[in-house]
Amino acid sequence: QVQLMESGGGSVETGGSLRLSCEATGYRSGSFCMGWFRQVPGKEREAVATIYTRGPRAGRTYVENSVKGRFTVSQDSAKNTVYLQMNGLKPEDTAMYYCAAGSMVADTVRATEYNYWGQGTQVTVSS
């Protein structure tokens, strides 16, 4: 059973930076994709950035348009950990951020493709 442990959320002012981390344990083998989604009350969970960490697509990333140039997704394979570096934060980035992982992910922006989810970490950006 894969488990995800997130860390790194918090409160910052506009223009500030945060780095989220997500460590995956219990992973065995095969293709694996990890991603960051965010959700605000009353809205659907949306993909922010994803990365294939294992398998033939390893290293392939996706970054949502509204955060391109500000957010970067990366991985440390030795630690089974993915990171979301968030710079130039804006109030509209305020949300609960969730780490997700799955072994059979074809469409990385669809939340239903992911089997495993972290507990979420709150990011709040004040103006």
Side-chain angles (χ1 to χ4, degrees):
Q1 180 76 1
V2 174
Q3 293 188 320
L4 304 177
M5 182 64 68
E6 302 154 336
S7 62
S11 298
V12 296
E13 295 184 346
T14 296
S17 297
L18 287 172
R19 188 176 81 155
L20 306 183
S21 301
C22 178
E23 179 185 7
T25 59
Y27 166 80
R28 297 193 181 274
S29 63
S31 179
F32 206 61
C33 183
M34 296 180 70
W36 291 99
F37 287 71
R38 65 186 180 186
Q39 189 171 25
V40 297
K43 291 191 176 182
E44 291 187 358
R45 197 168 292 190
E46 65 171 357
V48 178
T50 67
I51 183 168
Y52 281 95
T53 60
R54 307 276 182 176
R57 302 179 184 177
R60 187 179 299 182
T61 62
Y62 161 86
V63 179
E64 198 272 325
N65 281 338
S66 70
V67 305
K68 274 183 180 177
R70 301 187 296 122
F71 292 12
T72 303
V73 61
S74 61
Q75 64 169 315
D76 184 332
S77 299
K79 297 180 180 180
N80 287 329
T81 299
V82 296
Y83 304 97
L84 184 67
Q85 178 66 44
M86 305 185 293
N87 299 328
L89 282 160
K90 304 176 180 180
E92 52 263 43
D93 295 318
T94 295
M96 184 71 78
Y97 283 69
Y98 296 90
C99 178
S103 57
M104 300 291 290
V105 177
D107 186 348
T108 61
V109 302
R110 291 172 62 95
T112 54
E113 297 268 323
Y114 295 83
N115 309 98
Y116 310 103
W117 291 86
Q119 78 282 1
T121 184
Q122 179 68 37
V123 171
T124 302
V125 185
S126 59
S127 56

